[in-house]
Amino acid sequence: MKFGLGHDWKEVKRFKKLDKKDRSIVFYLESESDFIFFKPVVEKLTQEYDTKICYVTSSKMDPMLSSNNKNILPFYIGDGMARSNFFINLKATIIVMTMPDLETFHIKRSKVYPVHYVYIFHSLNSTQRAYTNTAFDNFDTIFCTGNYQIIEIQEREKKSNLAKKKLVKHGYGKLDILINEVQSTNVRNNASNNKVVLIAPTWGPNGLIETKGQEIVHILLDSGFNVILRPHPMTIKKSNKVIQKIEKEFKDNLNFKLETDIRNTESFFLCDCMISDWSGVAIEYAFAFEKPIFYIDTPQKINNPECDQIDLVPLEEKLRSQIGEVISLSELSLIPSKINQFLQSQNKFKEKIQKSREETVFNIGNSGEEGAKYLLELKKSLES
């Protein structure tokens, strides 16, 4: 698809000309990589329930812009003034987003219509540290991944005297997709007999790649492991010099691979375990593949300086000892021996992960159905 000057404004105008019934349910994506979080719900709505949706994206690269699904109406609105105008003047029954901080920054609620705002999580993490204090305050409905998020949000509402939101027992679409892939895919063999370690941490000044990435890759390669380094997109954006330095040092080592496309899940199948820090992807990986996580104990990135107001242990802290092992920064040289120990008792470990998963996540394998049914019922009640 070609994008000429002012294309985003033309798309906003085209959206406004739609029949009211065709803009009942709108999905907004900041990036094409957001689609995985919506996919099970979108597929149920458009295929099983034959419901039209609007698919509004800020990414020119979004493959859904050329979708041939008759029930998906795609629009590209960019990330500038046209997008701001789109949101302020939005006339739709429901809009579904995975971008938090509605009303706090540049994305505002509609000033002209009583739009109902629905939030879908893009991580299994708890709400109080990984997000800003007001991240979810301005949504009407939140699709929660597990009961822990319901408790956290209700606690926030009570402490700050906020209006109660509709908190839906939804689940986590990305996890459902990964579990389905695991069940329907023959585990791919890696080219060598080496154990494969995937390094997939979060980002920021204290992130694992930014601080210890090079050292850990060295330790693993020297111990005979294959290493796949999968940086967070924000690490590539904000700390690209670090990535370039690591790539330059190890590019000639056949046992090293840099993976920059997070939509590619092949490395999840290839690896025997993951090394992470506080990343939500670690929980997804453990729950989908039932393989251990080795958490390097870097300082946690806290996006909410008022997080102590909610006196609850975040899931990403609570689960660390259940789905893996925490390794201090002073024990990095022990990583290879710890990995080998864990892999010898893998079956016992799988049972622990399965138990944690069942206790943590709603509607495993069925979040798409639950989400689609809820949105259709909500649409019906709002339009009546």
Side-chain angles (χ1 to χ4, degrees):
M1 188 179 283
K2 289 183 179 178
F3 298 91
L5 196 64
H7 182 84
D8 47 358
W9 284 103
K10 286 174 188 169
E11 291 283 88
V12 171
K13 284 178 186 171
R14 184 168 70 90
F15 177 88
K16 288 177 179 177
K17 287 177 183 172
L18 280 180
D19 215 77
K20 188 181 175 183
K21 64 179 170 54
D22 289 336
R23 45 184 160 84
S24 286
I25 302 177
V26 178
F27 285 80
Y28 169 68
L29 297 87
E30 189 180 15
S31 158
E32 68 273 13
S33 59
D34 291 343
F35 183 59
I36 194 167
F37 308 108
F38 295 142
K39 188 180 179 186
V41 177
V42 167
E43 287 182 349
K44 285 286 178 183
L45 284 172
T46 60
Q47 295 171 21
E48 198 165 310
Y49 291 107
D50 196 25
T51 301
K52 264 199 172 66
I53 65 149
C54 289
Y55 184 101
V56 180
T57 177
S58 285
S59 171
K60 289 178 182 177
M61 310 299 291
D62 200 316
M64 297 298 282
L65 286 170
S66 51
S67 169
N68 56 11
N69 184 330
K70 68 180 174 62
N71 284 329
I72 295 179
L73 308 176
F75 298 84
Y76 165 72
I77 61 165
D79 57 6
M81 291 297 292
R83 178 175 70 171
S84 300
N85 180 280
F86 170 84
F87 275 96
I88 287 172
N89 296 294
L90 179 61
K91 287 184 180 177
T93 309
I94 299 163
I95 186 164
V96 187
M97 302 162 62
T98 187
M99 185 189 211
D101 298 295
L102 176 66
E103 199 68 22
T104 310
F105 299 117
H106 43 285
I107 302 295
K108 307 292 184 186
R109 289 179 66 107
S110 174
K111 307 301 178 203
V112 298
Y113 200 80
V115 181
H116 192 99
Y117 291 79
V118 177
Y119 182 80
I120 288 185
F121 278 94
H122 56 255
S123 163
L124 284 164
N125 281 357
S126 281
T127 59
Q128 66 265 47
R129 287 187 191 169
Y131 301 91
T132 65
N133 201 30
T134 58
F136 313 109
D137 289 356
N138 294 298
F139 287 91
D140 303 298
T141 291
I142 298 188
F143 278 17
C144 297
T145 59
N147 203 50
Y148 60 101
Q149 289 175 343
I150 291 179
I151 294 166
E152 291 159 6
I153 292 166
Q154 285 176 338
E155 188 70 10
R156 160 89 184 144
E157 288 171 345
K158 194 169 102 183
K159 286 269 172 76
S160 300
N161 201 24
L162 301 171
K164 288 186 178 178
K165 290 171 277 297
K166 293 180 182 176
L167 303 176
V168 179
K169 293 181 178 180
H170 176 233
Y172 192 50
K174 185 181 177 185
L175 180 61
D176 291 346
I177 291 168
L178 286 172
I179 289 173
N180 190 47
E181 281 184 20
V182 171
Q183 291 170 347
S184 61
T185 307
N186 291 325
V187 178
R188 306 171 180 108
N189 293 320
N190 66 75
S192 73
N193 292 320
N194 296 351
K195 296 292 183 191
V196 182
V197 180
L198 176 64
I199 304 174
T202 187
W203 65 280
N206 293 318
L208 188 61
I209 290 176
E210 287 85 346
T211 56
K212 298 289 181 181
Q214 203 167 347
E215 184 181 345
I216 291 171
V217 173
H218 249 307
I219 289 167
L220 291 166
L221 291 174
D222 288 349
S223 299
F225 290 92
N226 280 17
V227 178
I228 301 171
L229 184 68
R230 185 183 168 96
H232 191 285
M234 290 301 287
T235 300
I236 296 168
K237 188 176 177 180
K238 301 272 188 183
S239 305
N240 199 34
K241 284 183 180 176
V242 176
I243 302 299
Q244 287 174 356
K245 191 177 177 185
I246 293 172
E247 188 176 19
K248 187 180 177 184
E249 178 159 0
F250 302 111
K251 69 179 189 315
D252 295 328
N253 191 316
L254 296 177
N255 294 334
F256 174 77
K257 180 186 173 188
L258 177 66
E259 183 174 271
T260 55
D261 183 2
I262 62 163
R263 290 172 297 172
N264 181 10
T265 57
E266 187 180 9
S267 59
F268 286 178
F269 288 90
L270 286 174
C271 68
D272 297 285
C273 64
M274 179 187 281
I275 290 177
S276 192
D277 43 20
W278 293 94
S279 175
V281 77
I283 307 173
E284 295 167 12
Y285 169 81
F287 282 174
F289 292 86
E290 299 173 359
K291 295 175 184 177
I293 310 296
F294 295 90
Y295 287 102
I296 310 302
D297 204 18
T298 57
Q300 187 175 7
K301 181 173 68 178
I302 295 178
N303 291 318
N304 175 14
E306 298 172 51
C307 61
D308 291 340
Q309 289 180 358
I310 308 297
D311 189 22
L312 297 164
V313 178
L315 183 78
E316 57 270 27
E317 183 177 325
K318 182 180 159 191
L319 279 185
R320 290 175 122 201
S321 57
Q322 295 177 26
I323 61 175
E325 182 169 338
V326 182
I327 299 172
S328 76
L329 288 168
S330 61
E331 295 180 321
L332 297 183
S333 61
L334 301 179
I335 293 173
S337 61
K338 285 182 180 289
I339 290 174
N340 286 325
Q341 283 169 25
F342 258 79
L343 295 179
Q344 284 167 8
S345 56
Q346 218 162 353
N347 287 339
K348 186 182 172 187
F349 203 72
K350 274 187 179 185
E351 290 170 16
K352 278 181 76 176
I353 292 174
Q354 288 164 356
K355 185 171 183 287
S356 291
R357 182 179 64 204
E358 296 304 318
E359 290 171 352
T360 303
V361 187
F362 291 135
N363 301 312
I364 294 168
N366 203 35
S367 68
E369 175 70 18
E370 292 298 319
K373 280 197 304 190
Y374 182 85
L375 288 175
L376 289 174
E377 286 166 16
L378 178 62
K379 172 181 175 289
K380 190 176 174 184
S381 69
L382 290 171
E383 291 180 346
S384 65

